[in-house]
Amino acid sequence: MTMNKTKNILKTGLCLLALGAGMTACNPEVDESNLYTETQLNIEGWLQQNDNLSSFNYILARVGYDRVMNSYGHYTCFAPVNEGVQQYIDSLYRDTEGLKPRNGMDDHGTLAEGQHIELEWLTDSLCRDIAEYHLTNGKYDEMYMRSKGTEGMELLNMQGRTVKSSTDSLGNTVLEKSTTDPGAIIIDADIDTLGNGIIHVLDRVIPRNTRLMATELFRHAEYSIFYRALVETGLADSLMMTKKLDENGMPRQWSDDEMNGDDVLDTDNARLYYPKECKLGYTIFAESDAVLAKNNIKSFDDLVAYANKQYADAAGWYQMLSEKGLWNADSKSYVKSVSTGTDYRNRNNALNMFVAYHIVKCAMANTQLVFENTPGLGVATSKWNYINGGEPYDYYETMLPHTLLKIWQPQPGRVLFINRYQTNNTLTNELATMGTNHVLIRQGVRVNREGEIKADNGYLQAIEGMLVYDKEVPQGVLNERLRFEATTFLPEFINNGFRYMLNSTVSDLNNGGSGARIAFPRDFFDNVVCYNDGCQLRYNVKGNFRAYQADAFQGWGQSYDLAIRIPPVPTGHYEFRLFYSPMGHGGFMQFYLGKSSSPASMEPLSIPLDVRIEAADARIGWTKFYEEEDQGINSDVEMHNRGYMRGPYSFQGHPGEYDEARKTTDWNCRGDATVTLRRVLGRIDVKQSEDYWFRIKSVDPDLKEAKWQLDFIELVPTNVVDNDQYSEDWF
């Protein structure tokens, strides 16, 4: 067939009737007894009728995905033409880098000039790899994939990897376009088979980088100095993992035998999807040789000298050093001073500290560094659940022990900065605004959104300035109300593609059932400990929810009892707050805080919280601030004295139902009593060198459908809460 926009003709001939039944697309071993249609062609039937896609269809058939694509469900199939498949498998066989010798194919000797690989030479594992990389759960049309233009959209394929779609300079929709690869172009889009999904025909196989982070960075000469520092410090070795391992050093696998009963059932007894393995990933924020040169760093030795200068006196502001110290491999002890010698592999070495602060254990494309606009959720606002001037930002823990960096997208615009700092941030001198009492002290390190490099287990994000953990980070950048979204300090959400997953995708994973939730094994998260089998772990994915970024880590269980490690913050005195939704089916819970996950280390925080109590109840005292003459100033104080606060003014609770006219009254989380509250759990003294675990325990054994939820927490320096010149802003 000719691949030049024939989709309208094909739709007319092939699309007869929409069918709504769903099935799982995670396992190609489908039940063939009742899943085929005789009245129309599904994806597989359409592929069979187009000879120019026969090679890709052969690959699907080798591993059973032809049956999946001929079964009811909702899928997107990116089908490369035969010529593109041939070019790809030839290139694999001729691979000279030795990343995967013969890539698992049988050795048929050196190819002669003009000779091609035969499809039959491919192994089943390679066929599965190619098939799963070109299939997704859920239907994604071309308009969705183009909705962020050149910056691109991240799609999750059946292999659990992200594939970026974007537009090129000619207006084509392309997949995995990069600075070194033009990507795979969609040459025929939106072939809607109606029966079970959408087909997009590609001119070639989707480019895929199987190199790990350090291996990929080695190939980019423009990062030669940073790469050498990564190797000399030994931190390159820390970026080799792709999956969590079991006690035998094999990839950890969760089976149906481990996940049964209530562990995988939704509230309506529908069976939920759960991950069967846990991927690991990383993001490096790196200065190129050109950026380093602008800072008079033209060699590895220059970078060492720069790091020594920046970190020599770090004990003065990096409390981890003065309180506990950093591990020194030579002395096998914690050392409280910074080394400026050549022992680069020790954690207390200045160069090691410099490089470690550039790495986070979350694999994030630049479109995922903060929660930006997510198309397809029916909201007309530019930042879909940020309103009234709210600005996207998030904090991430780095590989420099117990340190954070902040990524901020000030409005208007799409520019991202790391560790941007202005005076009196989260304090205001005006009512209902962020105030005019701010002076920009540090612009921050700008992320170059055109310089992203993707590896198999993460991303390198190009930055345009020098990134250091200096005294202005703990004393300035982080001296503000710190609001931590749960999916940012539990990196498994990001590394496994869940943070940005949409309801439609989850519905397909759940056999067409619940599009709201995913279940998790109790030992899936490194920083979550469940104390009993009655604790169920759930995730409400992005959707029309009463939540900060329209999602929430939550769970059910009559006797739930769990603890979560909270992010590290600079040493100081903080007010600790929990964001929650008052709801009739909520739980009755006691909170604790401890310096380890051991229950014996835990001290109770405040009195138990009953989330079934309505906000307007006298015990809370919520009122309609917009109907009060002082806009709620006095009632804010009275609520705080009772241990409660209104929700933030900066976002709405139900993004799918946005009402512009009411955004300053009851269409934000400050003004809608049914949406959100914050519980003030008390004031705590925190040391940067310590771990802190937040325990949530059900205390009502008679509550049959007890629910816990962790959307975000706030740690607010008391000098912000008690400021005698300005007020904490509503945002």
Side-chain angles (χ1 to χ4, degrees), residues 73-93:
H74 298 90
Y75 314 109
T76 301
C77 173
F78 297 99
V81 297
N82 293 346
E83 183 181 355
V85 172
Q86 190 67 61
Q87 183 275 331
Y88 177 71
I89 62 176
D90 285 352
S91 69
L92 287 182
Y93 195 79

mmCIF file of all heavy atoms in Angstrom, residues 73-93:
data_model
loop_
_atom_site.group_PDB
_atom_site.id
_atom_site.type_symbol
_atom_site.label_atom_id
_atom_site.label_comp_id
_atom_site.label_asym_id
_atom_site.label_seq_id
_atom_site.Cartn_x
_atom_site.Cartn_y
_atom_site.Cartn_z
ATOM 1 N N GLY A 73 -10.020 -4.382 23.475
ATOM 2 C CA GLY A 73 -9.231 -3.595 24.402
ATOM 3 C C GLY A 73 -9.036 -2.205 23.831
ATOM 4 O O GLY A 73 -9.743 -1.786 22.908
ATOM 5 N N HIS A 74 -8.092 -1.469 24.368
ATOM 6 C CA HIS A 74 -7.777 -0.133 23.883
ATOM 7 C C HIS A 74 -6.261 -0.003 23.819
ATOM 8 O O HIS A 74 -5.593 0.095 24.848
ATOM 9 C CB HIS A 74 -8.362 0.943 24.810
ATOM 10 C CG HIS A 74 -9.850 0.906 24.891
ATOM 11 N ND1 HIS A 74 -10.524 0.154 25.826
ATOM 12 C CD2 HIS A 74 -10.794 1.515 24.137
ATOM 13 C CE1 HIS A 74 -11.830 0.304 25.647
ATOM 14 N NE2 HIS A 74 -12.016 1.130 24.635
ATOM 15 N N TYR A 75 -5.740 0.003 22.592
ATOM 16 C CA TYR A 75 -4.304 0.011 22.395
ATOM 17 C C TYR A 75 -3.925 1.065 21.359
ATOM 18 O O TYR A 75 -4.741 1.485 20.539
ATOM 19 C CB TYR A 75 -3.800 -1.356 21.901
ATOM 20 C CG TYR A 75 -4.355 -2.523 22.665
ATOM 21 C CD1 TYR A 75 -5.292 -3.393 22.084
ATOM 22 C CD2 TYR A 75 -3.966 -2.763 23.979
ATOM 23 C CE1 TYR A 75 -5.804 -4.463 22.794
ATOM 24 C CE2 TYR A 75 -4.476 -3.829 24.696
ATOM 25 C CZ TYR A 75 -5.402 -4.670 24.099
ATOM 26 O OH TYR A 75 -5.920 -5.723 24.814
ATOM 27 N N THR A 76 -2.656 1.460 21.406
ATOM 28 C CA THR A 76 -2.064 2.239 20.323
ATOM 29 C C THR A 76 -0.911 1.419 19.764
ATOM 30 O O THR A 76 -0.051 0.961 20.515
ATOM 31 C CB THR A 76 -1.553 3.604 20.812
ATOM 32 O OG1 THR A 76 -2.636 4.331 21.382
ATOM 33 C CG2 THR A 76 -0.978 4.401 19.649
ATOM 34 N N CYS A 77 -0.924 1.224 18.457
ATOM 35 C CA CYS A 77 0.091 0.426 17.775
ATOM 36 C C CYS A 77 0.882 1.338 16.845
ATOM 37 O O CYS A 77 0.316 1.956 15.938
ATOM 38 C CB CYS A 77 -0.565 -0.697 16.975
ATOM 39 S SG CYS A 77 0.570 -1.628 15.923
ATOM 40 N N PHE A 78 2.183 1.446 17.090
ATOM 41 C CA PHE A 78 3.079 2.171 16.202
ATOM 42 C C PHE A 78 3.744 1.134 15.299
ATOM 43 O O PHE A 78 4.616 0.369 15.735
ATOM 44 C CB PHE A 78 4.125 2.938 17.006
ATOM 45 C CG PHE A 78 3.539 4.001 17.893
ATOM 46 C CD1 PHE A 78 3.344 3.764 19.251
ATOM 47 C CD2 PHE A 78 3.165 5.230 17.372
ATOM 48 C CE1 PHE A 78 2.803 4.737 20.068
ATOM 49 C CE2 PHE A 78 2.620 6.214 18.184
ATOM 50 C CZ PHE A 78 2.436 5.965 19.542
ATOM 51 N N ALA A 79 3.319 1.090 14.047
ATOM 52 C CA ALA A 79 3.735 0.015 13.139
ATOM 53 C C ALA A 79 4.752 0.529 12.125
ATOM 54 O O ALA A 79 4.410 1.313 11.236
ATOM 55 C CB ALA A 79 2.515 -0.551 12.408
ATOM 56 N N PRO A 80 6.020 0.108 12.219
ATOM 57 C CA PRO A 80 7.024 0.522 11.232
ATOM 58 C C PRO A 80 6.895 -0.264 9.931
ATOM 59 O O PRO A 80 6.576 -1.455 9.944
ATOM 60 C CB PRO A 80 8.351 0.209 11.937
ATOM 61 C CG PRO A 80 8.021 -0.890 12.897
ATOM 62 C CD PRO A 80 6.588 -0.688 13.314
ATOM 63 N N VAL A 81 7.160 0.396 8.808
ATOM 64 C CA VAL A 81 7.091 -0.266 7.501
ATOM 65 C C VAL A 81 8.228 -1.273 7.383
ATOM 66 O O VAL A 81 9.220 -1.226 8.120
ATOM 67 C CB VAL A 81 7.155 0.761 6.353
ATOM 68 C CG1 VAL A 81 5.953 1.690 6.402
ATOM 69 C CG2 VAL A 81 8.450 1.563 6.411
ATOM 70 N N ASN A 82 8.078 -2.192 6.434
ATOM 71 C CA ASN A 82 9.053 -3.280 6.284
ATOM 72 C C ASN A 82 10.482 -2.771 6.113
ATOM 73 O O ASN A 82 11.430 -3.316 6.697
ATOM 74 C CB ASN A 82 8.683 -4.153 5.085
ATOM 75 C CG ASN A 82 7.392 -4.914 5.315
ATOM 76 O OD1 ASN A 82 6.896 -4.995 6.440
ATOM 77 N ND2 ASN A 82 6.833 -5.462 4.244
ATOM 78 N N GLU A 83 10.654 -1.733 5.303
ATOM 79 C CA GLU A 83 12.002 -1.206 5.062
ATOM 80 C C GLU A 83 12.628 -0.711 6.367
ATOM 81 O O GLU A 83 13.825 -0.900 6.612
ATOM 82 C CB GLU A 83 11.930 -0.067 4.042
ATOM 83 C CG GLU A 83 13.289 0.503 3.673
ATOM 84 C CD GLU A 83 13.178 1.642 2.666
ATOM 85 O OE1 GLU A 83 12.061 1.923 2.194
ATOM 86 O OE2 GLU A 83 14.224 2.256 2.361
ATOM 87 N N GLY A 84 11.812 -0.076 7.212
ATOM 88 C CA GLY A 84 12.318 0.410 8.486
ATOM 89 C C GLY A 84 12.708 -0.720 9.420
ATOM 90 O O GLY A 84 13.712 -0.629 10.140
ATOM 91 N N VAL A 85 11.917 -1.801 9.433
ATOM 92 C CA VAL A 85 12.250 -2.962 10.255
ATOM 93 C C VAL A 85 13.557 -3.583 9.772
ATOM 94 O O VAL A 85 14.439 -3.929 10.576
ATOM 95 C CB VAL A 85 11.112 -4.002 10.224
ATOM 96 C CG1 VAL A 85 11.547 -5.289 10.913
ATOM 97 C CG2 VAL A 85 9.854 -3.447 10.875
ATOM 98 N N GLN A 86 13.709 -3.723 8.457
ATOM 99 C CA GLN A 86 14.927 -4.327 7.915
ATOM 100 C C GLN A 86 16.157 -3.513 8.281
ATOM 101 O O GLN A 86 17.199 -4.063 8.679
ATOM 102 C CB GLN A 86 14.816 -4.454 6.389
ATOM 103 C CG GLN A 86 15.917 -5.291 5.764
ATOM 104 C CD GLN A 86 15.823 -6.756 6.182
ATOM 105 O OE1 GLN A 86 14.838 -7.420 5.913
ATOM 106 N NE2 GLN A 86 16.845 -7.250 6.875
ATOM 107 N N GLN A 87 16.052 -2.205 8.119
ATOM 108 C CA GLN A 87 17.191 -1.344 8.443
ATOM 109 C C GLN A 87 17.580 -1.493 9.913
ATOM 110 O O GLN A 87 18.762 -1.537 10.257
ATOM 111 C CB GLN A 87 16.836 0.116 8.123
ATOM 112 C CG GLN A 87 17.964 1.107 8.360
ATOM 113 C CD GLN A 87 18.045 1.590 9.789
ATOM 114 O OE1 GLN A 87 17.029 1.651 10.498
ATOM 115 N NE2 GLN A 87 19.255 1.920 10.243
ATOM 116 N N TYR A 88 16.584 -1.620 10.784
ATOM 117 C CA TYR A 88 16.850 -1.697 12.219
ATOM 118 C C TYR A 88 17.539 -3.012 12.590
ATOM 119 O O TYR A 88 18.555 -3.017 13.291
ATOM 120 C CB TYR A 88 15.539 -1.558 12.990
ATOM 121 C CG TYR A 88 15.701 -1.688 14.488
ATOM 122 C CD1 TYR A 88 16.314 -0.691 15.219
ATOM 123 C CD2 TYR A 88 15.238 -2.814 15.155
ATOM 124 C CE1 TYR A 88 16.464 -0.800 16.595
ATOM 125 C CE2 TYR A 88 15.384 -2.944 16.533
ATOM 126 C CZ TYR A 88 15.992 -1.932 17.242
ATOM 127 O OH TYR A 88 16.144 -2.054 18.592
ATOM 128 N N ILE A 89 17.013 -4.125 12.103
ATOM 129 C CA ILE A 89 17.597 -5.404 12.508
ATOM 130 C C ILE A 89 18.966 -5.605 11.868
ATOM 131 O O ILE A 89 19.846 -6.242 12.449
ATOM 132 C CB ILE A 89 16.658 -6.588 12.213
ATOM 133 C CG1 ILE A 89 16.361 -6.730 10.724
ATOM 134 C CG2 ILE A 89 15.363 -6.445 13.003
ATOM 135 C CD1 ILE A 89 15.505 -7.944 10.379
ATOM 136 N N ASP A 90 19.181 -5.042 10.676
ATOM 137 C CA ASP A 90 20.524 -5.081 10.090
ATOM 138 C C ASP A 90 21.509 -4.314 10.970
ATOM 139 O O ASP A 90 22.643 -4.758 11.198
ATOM 140 C CB ASP A 90 20.515 -4.474 8.686
ATOM 141 C CG ASP A 90 19.891 -5.400 7.650
ATOM 142 O OD1 ASP A 90 19.610 -6.569 7.986
ATOM 143 O OD2 ASP A 90 19.673 -4.942 6.507
ATOM 144 N N SER A 91 21.062 -3.144 11.453
ATOM 145 C CA SER A 91 21.961 -2.328 12.273
ATOM 146 C C SER A 91 22.276 -3.019 13.592
ATOM 147 O O SER A 91 23.385 -2.894 14.121
ATOM 148 C CB SER A 91 21.341 -0.949 12.533
ATOM 149 O OG SER A 91 20.209 -1.041 13.399
ATOM 150 N N LEU A 92 21.324 -3.756 14.131
ATOM 151 C CA LEU A 92 21.582 -4.499 15.363
ATOM 152 C C LEU A 92 22.636 -5.575 15.123
ATOM 153 O O LEU A 92 23.546 -5.770 15.932
ATOM 154 C CB LEU A 92 20.293 -5.151 15.874
ATOM 155 C CG LEU A 92 19.232 -4.269 16.508
ATOM 156 C CD1 LEU A 92 18.062 -5.125 16.986
ATOM 157 C CD2 LEU A 92 19.793 -3.479 17.676
ATOM 158 N N TYR A 93 22.511 -6.272 14.030
ATOM 159 C CA TYR A 93 23.444 -7.373 13.753
ATOM 160 C C TYR A 93 24.853 -6.841 13.506
ATOM 161 O O TYR A 93 25.848 -7.489 13.835
ATOM 162 C CB TYR A 93 22.960 -8.174 12.547
ATOM 163 C CG TYR A 93 23.646 -9.512 12.411
ATOM 164 C CD1 TYR A 93 23.249 -10.589 13.209
ATOM 165 C CD2 TYR A 93 24.692 -9.703 11.516
ATOM 166 C CE1 TYR A 93 23.882 -11.822 13.099
ATOM 167 C CE2 TYR A 93 25.323 -10.927 11.396
ATOM 168 C CZ TYR A 93 24.917 -11.988 12.195
ATOM 169 O OH TYR A 93 25.546 -13.201 12.094
#
